């Protein structure tokens, strides 16, 4: 047999099934049967979660009030804010701490052989993270990460 005959036999077989043949595939619906329509169950009522972590169900006909909280404008310098703990309007205290950015700089300096300079990110405040806290109650307000 030649390559062309084999190709012809595999691509265009001579024995095609008759056009009126019916095929039943596994998992297919039997002929002339349509599945019944099943309505979806009603959605669950929405749940409101409070800042304390407790949730409450909203009953139909009740209105839910959604409060959006804007992110604090944290940066390198202290800023005026209402403390979330004592509710006082204060100018935040700041404290610098070695963070991920300073550690990456230290590792890069060590890789390039600057062992004597690798401690510098620990001494430079512009390489450190800034932690904001309340000066009255010492409560945590947030962190500015570099």
């Amino acid at each position: 047999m030649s390559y062309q005959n084999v190709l012809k036999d595999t691509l265009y077989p001579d024995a095609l099934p008759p056009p009126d043949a019916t095929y039943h595939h596994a998992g297919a619906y039997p002929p002339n049967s349509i599945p019944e329509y099943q309505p979806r169950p009603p959605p669950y009522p929405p749940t409101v979660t409070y800042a304390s972590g407790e949730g409450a169900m909203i009953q139909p006909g009740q209105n839910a009030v959604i409060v959006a909280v804007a992110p604090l404008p944290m940066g390198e310098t202290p800023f005026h804010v209402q403390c979330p703990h004592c509710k006082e309007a204060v100018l935040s205290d700041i404290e610098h701490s070695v963070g991920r950015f300073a550690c990456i700089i230290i590792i890069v300096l060590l890789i390039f052989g600057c062992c004597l300079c690798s401690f510098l990110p620990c001494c430079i405040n512009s390489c450190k993270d800034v932690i904001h806290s309340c000066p009255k109650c010492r409560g945590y307000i947030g962190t500015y990460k570099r």
Side-chain angles (χ1 to χ4, degrees):
M1 274 175 95
S2 71
Y3 177 72
Q4 291 177 346
N5 288 339
V6 171
L7 186 62
K8 178 183 170 192
D9 290 341
T10 57
L11 293 177
Y12 307 105
D14 294 331
L16 293 175
D20 61 343
T22 58
Y23 298 98
H24 297 285
H25 300 288
Y29 296 113
N32 298 331
S33 79
I34 300 173
E36 291 184 26
Y37 171 72
Q38 297 290 330
R40 289 186 174 177
Y44 293 106
T47 302
V48 176
T49 304
Y50 297 100
S52 62
E54 48 190 61
M57 298 294 282
I58 300 296
Q59 300 300 324
Q62 288 182 333
N63 291 329
V65 177
I66 299 173
V67 178
V69 179
L72 296 174
M74 281 186 265
E76 299 177 9
T77 59
F79 65 99
H80 292 280
V81 65
Q82 180 180 3
C83 175
H85 306 286
C86 65
K87 307 295 185 215
E88 292 285 328
V90 295
L91 181 66
S92 66
D93 276 347
I94 60 170
E95 177 185 334
H96 293 89
S97 68
V98 177
R100 185 178 296 162
F101 181 68
C103 291
I104 290 171
I105 292 175
I106 291 169
I107 292 170
V108 169
L109 289 172
L110 287 172
I111 289 173
F112 286 113
C114 299
C115 296
L116 297 175
C117 299
S118 62
F119 71 92
L120 286 177
C122 296
C123 300
I124 301 172
N125 283 342
S126 62
C127 294
K128 297 179 182 180
D129 292 346
V130 181
I131 300 172
H132 293 268
S133 60
C134 176
K136 293 190 179 187
C137 70
R138 296 289 173 210
Y140 173 77
I141 296 175
T143 302
Y144 174 71
K145 295 182 181 273
R146 301 196 190 272

